[in-house]
Structures are given as structure tokens and as C-alpha cells.
Amino acid sequence: RDNFRTDITWVRSTNPKGSQHKSNRYDVFTDTILFCGKSDATTLNLDSIRVQLSEEELKSKYYREDEKGRYYDGPIVSSMSMGPRPTLVYEYKGYTPPASGWRVTKSNLEEIDRNGDLGWTSNGKPFRKLRIEDEKGQPVGSFWNDISLINSQAAERLAYPTQKPEALLERVIKASSNEGDLVADFFCGSGTTAAVAEKLGRKWICTDLGKFAIHTTRKRLIQVQRDRQEAGQPFHAFEVLNLGRYERQAYLNVGGRLSGKHKEQALAQKEREFRDLILRAYKA
């Protein structure tokens, strides 16, 4: 319970077509993603998943222009809601802010001014000129309504019943891991997690009980390898391990006629061996 951080609402569709509509309830167009972390050191790269503005949005936002280029007005004086900050209350070019102070130290403010990024309104109030080239995009919160279900004509569509869009997994993996990290999906279905992790330079382990899921994932990863090879991009080799006729026999016959404590110990040993088999490929 202590590992829970946030629940994320994913608006997967706003199209009622095909929904199981009933007169006594609302249709459900959302899924809930639970974000948990093992510790306070949990990876969360929020800047990596910012949503880039469209050309039209950029033109609307950065419509002012000076000799340096396009910009929009941003605050340089702190809001009163931040409370008194006496160390940031100082006079600059005849203006002294209220008790909440400037947003930056005096030396940083002077540098902003030297760079041509400090502006003044007609009534003598300062503002910061935020430049289009420094635009990082909109931050992503816990409500995701910009990623839809896979279009019926999309190249990534495999007609797998529970297939998720790659854009969704790309956001999850980018935010929650770094390049070279290990990503695991224990219900991999059509292999979206593995495909996206491979494209993003992560290592991955994916499992599923269904043979069709494993076949679909294997075929998909081979295509990812081919595409990346053709584009001159790096990719990993991968191995399909089958807990079927081979490894399963070790579990079924473990310990012969052993029972009780000895059988539990033998099973625990076999589990450790299988875990080591899986992880062997991912040693640094």
C-alpha cells in the first residue's frame, strides 16, 4: 500500500460505437493505470514525456516579437501566494516587488536583462520574455486524453484483442526508466511493451501463458529487428524460453518421492535455477 503513488486516467476512446451501452449506467471510455514505486528513489522522468505543441499552438502562444525573435510574457515576480521572501526583495531599475519578491536572484535577473529577455509593461511592471526555442512542451499530469486506441488502419495493429497503442507504452517506459534499464511485462499479450522497450534502448523480459501471445510477440520483435537493421539502428538479440515440455519436467518430477520440507526445499532450488536462467542474459 505504501508503494502507491498516483492513479492515472487514460481516455482510450470517446467514440460510443461498439460500446455495451446500458440505460442504467454511463459508458466507460477510460482505463486506470496505477503508478507505484518501491522507494522515494523511483525513476520519474516527467520532462521526457512533455507533449510538444503544434505549429498552430506555437504561433498562438508566441505571437509577440522583438529584435531577438518571438516570445510570450512570463512572470518574473513571485505571486503573493508564495508568502514573504525577504531575500528576493530588492530594487531593480526603479522597481521593487512586493513581499513575495522576484523569482530569481539579482545576479540572475541582470543576466536575463543582458540577454534581452526582460521586458516592461507600459505601466512599469517587469515580465520575462520566454523564447520559442526554449519551449519544452506541456507537462503531462494524471489525466491522459491525447492517446487513443489503435486505428483500424494503423501499421502497428495486429488484431490482438487487448493490444495497447505503442504511444501509451512509450510514455510509460520513457517516464519510468532510463536507457539501458530492464523493463518487465508479465502479461505481454501482443508484445507492445517489448517492441517499445527495444526501440527505446531498454532491455526487457516479457512473459505470457498463451502460445498465441508468445508467437505474436516473437514475430513482432523480429520485425522490429529488421526495421532497425534497415535503418542502421542498434537492436538486441532475444531468446524465447519455454516453460513447457522441457523445464516443466524439472518441476513435475522434483525430488521424486520426497514430501514435506524436503520437497519444498527442492522446489525452491528449482525456482532459483529457473530465475537464474531467465536473468543470465541480462547481466551487465
Side-chain angles (χ1 to χ4, degrees), residues 72-210:
Y72 84 96
D73 298 350
I76 194 67
V77 174
S78 299
S79 167
M80 291 297 293
S81 63
M82 300 184 71
R85 302 197 301 170
T87 59
L88 291 175
V89 177
Y90 54 85
E91 183 272 335
Y92 187 75
K93 291 190 173 181
Y95 178 84
T96 302
S100 55
W102 299 88
R103 286 179 171 243
V104 296
T105 63
K106 190 170 185 178
S107 60
N108 287 340
L109 182 62
E110 289 171 341
E111 183 178 358
I112 290 170
D113 197 6
R114 283 195 302 271
N115 291 336
D117 294 330
L118 184 65
W120 300 86
T121 65
S122 57
N123 58 356
K125 296 287 183 67
F127 62 88
R128 187 169 186 174
K129 296 180 180 180
L130 299 171
R131 302 292 174 178
I132 190 170
E133 55 267 24
D134 298 323
E135 173 63 51
K136 294 181 179 179
Q138 294 293 335
V140 173
S142 61
F143 184 75
W144 297 0
N145 63 345
D146 57 327
I147 300 175
S148 300
L149 288 172
I150 303 171
N151 185 282
S152 60
Q153 303 302 314
E156 67 180 88
R157 183 176 176 83
L158 300 174
Y160 195 91
T162 58
Q163 184 181 354
K164 302 297 186 294
E166 290 194 4
L168 178 68
L169 270 298
E170 180 178 339
R171 178 171 292 178
V172 170
I173 292 172
K174 275 187 174 180
S176 298
S177 68
N178 298 309
E179 191 169 344
D181 283 352
L182 177 61
V183 175
D185 184 349
F186 301 108
F187 308 89
C188 69
S190 62
T192 304
T193 298
V196 175
E198 180 64 35
K199 293 175 183 178
L200 294 177
R202 274 65 166 172
K203 295 180 287 186
W204 47 269
I205 298 176
C206 290
T207 71
D208 204 290
L209 286 175

Side-chain angles (χ1 to χ4, degrees), residues 2-134:
D2 293 338
N3 292 344
F4 175 76
R5 298 289 181 269
T6 317
D7 54 20
I8 297 165
T9 299
W10 172 39
V11 183
R12 50 182 164 76
S13 175
T14 56
N15 184 0
K17 183 179 179 180
S19 64
Q20 301 298 314
H21 180 73
K22 294 186 177 181
S23 59
N24 62 349
R25 70 180 188 189
Y26 290 101
D27 286 328
V28 178
F29 301 136
T30 63
D31 281 346
T32 300
I33 301 172
L34 301 181
F35 170 50
C36 301
K38 290 177 65 177
S39 73
D40 291 338
T42 299
T43 299
L44 187 58
N45 304 316
L46 291 179
D47 278 346
S48 70
I49 60 171
R50 285 176 173 264
V51 178
Q52 299 304 307
L53 302 184
S54 67
E55 281 299 320
E56 184 176 341
E57 289 171 326
L58 288 172
K59 287 179 180 178
S60 174
K61 183 176 181 180
Y62 295 92
Y63 64 91
R64 294 182 175 88
E65 191 169 358
D66 61 10
E67 64 281 355
K68 189 177 176 180
R70 292 159 60 186
Y71 69 91
Y72 84 96
D73 298 350
I76 194 67
V77 174
S78 299
S79 167
M80 291 297 293
S81 63
M82 300 184 71
R85 302 197 301 170
T87 59
L88 291 175
V89 177
Y90 54 85
E91 183 272 335
Y92 187 75
K93 291 190 173 181
Y95 178 84
T96 302
S100 55
W102 299 88
R103 286 179 171 243
V104 296
T105 63
K106 190 170 185 178
S107 60
N108 287 340
L109 182 62
E110 289 171 341
E111 183 178 358
I112 290 170
D113 197 6
R114 283 195 302 271
N115 291 336
D117 294 330
L118 184 65
W120 300 86
T121 65
S122 57
N123 58 356
K125 296 287 183 67
F127 62 88
R128 187 169 186 174
K129 296 180 180 180
L130 299 171
R131 302 292 174 178
I132 190 170
E133 55 267 24
D134 298 323

